Amino acid sequence: MAEIIDGKAFAASLRADVATGVGAFGATAGRAPGLAVVLVGEDPASAVYVRSKHKACVAAGMESFEHRLPANTAEAELLALIDRLNADPAVDGILVQLPLPKHIDELKVIEAIDPDKDVDGFTIGSAGRLATGQDGFVACTPLGCLMLLKDRLGDLSGKSAVIIGRSNIVGKPMAMLLLRESCTVTIAHSRTQDLPAVVRGADIVVAAVGRPEMVKGDWLKAGATVIDVGINRVAAGEGKTKLVGDVDFASAMEVASAVTPVPGGVGPMTIACLLHNTLQAAKRREKIA
Ligand code: NDP
């Protein structure tokens, strides 16, 4: 039986480390690191994410600047806000909660963020820095997955890794991170042929698909380490619902050596890594090692 990778516990210890770092930063810089979060519109899921980011920031001793704008905000107005946040010395990190309303060009807004404040790692500049091996901010979810993998496996060099999913926010940066760790990386997607056979070759499997319990235990190599990024809400009978990942947890536990659960695996790491990136941004801006 595999071990469960406890992302919740790891995230709690990362958040505690960040809080300690925030204290040390404050003693030197005379201020707290600041994160600005911009929410446009009233999407309920986005509002929940923004609230939990705000709470986590405050709990870590950081300044949280929330900007809630109505759904009919003009693109130019949003871009002007980003400009002001780029110039604001109290703001170290800027996060624009996606999705944005349809009339706003998401790419244009993300690209307006100063790469030195891009703590979500979504700008083309950040993606380029990651792809070319330069210092920059890495998207929080793949960064959290990497931390869990390194904590579990230590040196990842030479391991074969299969990432299922090629999105800009999870699959592609995950692939770049694992390549940087000298893994042999395969990126699978909806056109991949014989996915189970591809997955069976992997020491490390990262599933970021958005399909409930798609990856089965008999797809896995014995002893593989499995990171399940998926968050899928499914019916649980009697009108109730529950969250499941992209991996069939029970059958994966029979074959793998370690598996992240959903919930309680990758999910809690995402906000912890946002705090980590914000502290890094503040330290870089103040030239603190
Ligand atoms: P996207 O929808 O952007 O990408 C999904 C990827 O999965 C695509 O590359 C797609 O391939 C691929 N795919 C779809 N169907 C199949 C299939 N049958 N076989 C193989 N590959 C397939 O999703 P995201 O990357 O944004 O998110 C993935 C999952 O992770 C979702 O469940 C999301 O909720 C979750 N998530 C969790 C986070 C967390 O904090 N834990 C953060 C972000 C996401 P193609 O490119 O060919 O279409």
Side-chain angles (χ1 to χ4, degrees):
M1 184 65 99
E3 279 178 36
I4 295 176
I5 299 175
D6 189 345
K8 205 170 160 189
F10 192 98
S13 85
L14 178 58
R15 281 165 66 157
D17 288 350
V18 170
T20 306
V22 167
F25 174 86
T28 312
R31 67 177 183 91
L35 174 68
V37 179
V38 181
L39 173 64
V40 186
E42 272 100 44
D43 177 58
S46 294
V48 170
Y49 291 139
V50 166
R51 209 170 311 129
S52 44
K53 284 166 189 172
H54 169 77
K55 273 165 77 180
C57 249
V58 172
M62 294 186 181
E63 284 274 7
S64 163
F65 306 101
E66 262 186 69
H67 294 268
R68 290 170 178 265
L69 307 179
N72 63 357
T73 300
E75 184 180 281
E77 203 181 318
L78 180 56
L79 290 170
L81 171 63
I82 304 283
D83 276 352
R84 287 200 298 281
L85 297 174
N86 282 341
D88 186 341
V91 172
D92 298 292
I94 302 170
L95 180 153
V96 177
Q97 186 65 46
L98 302 178
L100 290 171
K102 295 268 176 289
H103 66 280
I104 296 179
D105 181 344
E106 253 175 34
L107 185 62
K108 200 167 167 186
V109 171
I110 296 299
E111 280 309 294
I113 298 172
D114 178 344
D116 292 334
K117 295 190 176 186
D118 176 26
V119 288
D120 238 353
F122 286 175
T123 61
I124 293 172
S126 295
R129 287 180 188 185
L130 176 62
T132 54
Q134 293 164 56
D135 275 349
F137 294 107
V138 177
C140 299
T141 300
L143 180 61
C145 295
L146 182 73
M147 287 182 185
L148 293 177
L149 282 168
K150 287 177 84 164
D151 180 60
R152 165 89 206 159
L153 298 171
D155 182 13
L156 304 182
S157 164
K159 299 206 179 296
S160 75
V162 170
I163 297 147
I164 318 173
R166 55 175 162 179
S167 71
N168 289 336
I169 60 167
V170 188
K172 281 182 200 156
M174 190 75 241
M176 287 301 151
L177 282 173
L178 291 174
L179 190 58
R180 195 168 81 179
E181 297 298 323
S182 299
C183 291
T184 305
V185 178
T186 303
I187 308 177
H189 45 76
S190 66
R191 308 291 176 88
T192 297
Q193 290 185 13
D194 199 355
L195 184 59
V198 173
V199 172
R200 216 165 279 131
D203 304 310
I204 294 168
V205 178
V206 180
V209 190
R211 301 202 176 253
E213 300 175 323
M214 184 185 85
V215 178
K216 308 296 179 199
D218 63 6
W219 294 21
L220 299 170
K221 180 178 181 173
T225 302
V226 181
I227 303 290
D228 189 353
V229 183
I231 302 177
N232 309 287
R233 190 163 284 286
V234 296
E238 295 173 9
K240 295 188 178 142
T241 61
K242 61 174 180 175
L243 289 182
V244 298
D246 291 339
V247 176
D248 178 21
F249 185 73
S251 65
M253 287 291 286
E254 299 293 324
V255 185
S257 67
V259 184
T260 58
V262 177
V266 173
M269 290 300 292
T270 299
I271 289 189
C273 286
L274 174 67
L275 301 178
H276 167 87
N277 279 354
T278 303
L279 175 59
Q280 292 308 115
K283 286 164 78 173
R284 280 182 204 164
R285 290 185 61 240
E286 297 287 350
K287 301 195 170 36
I288 296 173

